[in-house]
Amino acid sequence: DESYAMQPSHGITVPEYKHANDPEKKDDALTKLVPFLQYCALAGLPDLSAELAQYAGKDLATAFEGKLAELRASGKLRLPRRVGGVEAGQRGNTIWDRMRQRREQ
């Protein structure tokens, strides 16, 4: 919590890794956050702190898995269709391309 004490509403707490409790030595706490971070980047959230507040006091990765399933089931999770890794008629569909497009608008 000290690492983001100045901006607590923007911090994501990652559980401490205790190798003694993990016989497989598989520290995957950051990897489990990837779907949430991708969602935030691609959804164009106007306020990240509001999104993070929904998960206060919860394991973010686990809680988001449930939301992701709901979004998929309801049809609200729509990602652009891609052809060969690139959207038809566009340069590309990486997060960097989307950030560049927003700056140009």
Side-chain angles (χ1 to χ4, degrees), residues 65-78:
E65 283 180 24
K67 180 175 180 174
L68 189 57
E70 290 174 19
L71 290 170
R72 284 183 178 142
S74 67
K76 292 181 181 177
L77 182 66
R78 296 198 178 148

Side-chain angles (χ1 to χ4, degrees), residues 31-40 42 55 61-79:
T31 305
K32 289 180 178 180
L33 289 172
V34 169
F36 173 76
L37 297 172
Q38 287 177 326
Y39 166 76
C40 290
L42 297 175
Y55 305 101
T62 303
F64 183 71
E65 283 180 24
K67 180 175 180 174
L68 189 57
E70 290 174 19
L71 290 170
R72 284 183 178 142
S74 67
K76 292 181 181 177
L77 182 66
R78 296 198 178 148
L79 299 177

Side-chain angles (χ1 to χ4, degrees), residues 21-94:
N21 297 339
D22 185 6
E24 296 179 18
K25 307 296 184 229
K26 185 178 174 186
D27 181 10
D28 60 356
L30 292 176
T31 305
K32 289 180 178 180
L33 289 172
V34 169
F36 173 76
L37 297 172
Q38 287 177 326
Y39 166 76
C40 290
L42 297 175
L45 301 175
D47 184 9
L48 178 63
S49 59
E51 187 71 22
L52 288 171
Q54 296 178 37
Y55 305 101
K58 300 176 186 173
D59 175 13
L60 176 62
T62 303
F64 183 71
E65 283 180 24
K67 180 175 180 174
L68 189 57
E70 290 174 19
L71 290 170
R72 284 183 178 142
S74 67
K76 292 181 181 177
L77 182 66
R78 296 198 178 148
L79 299 177
R81 297 190 78 189
R82 295 165 46 151
V83 177
V86 177
E87 288 184 53
Q90 294 191 8
R91 290 190 307 220
N93 193 28
T94 67

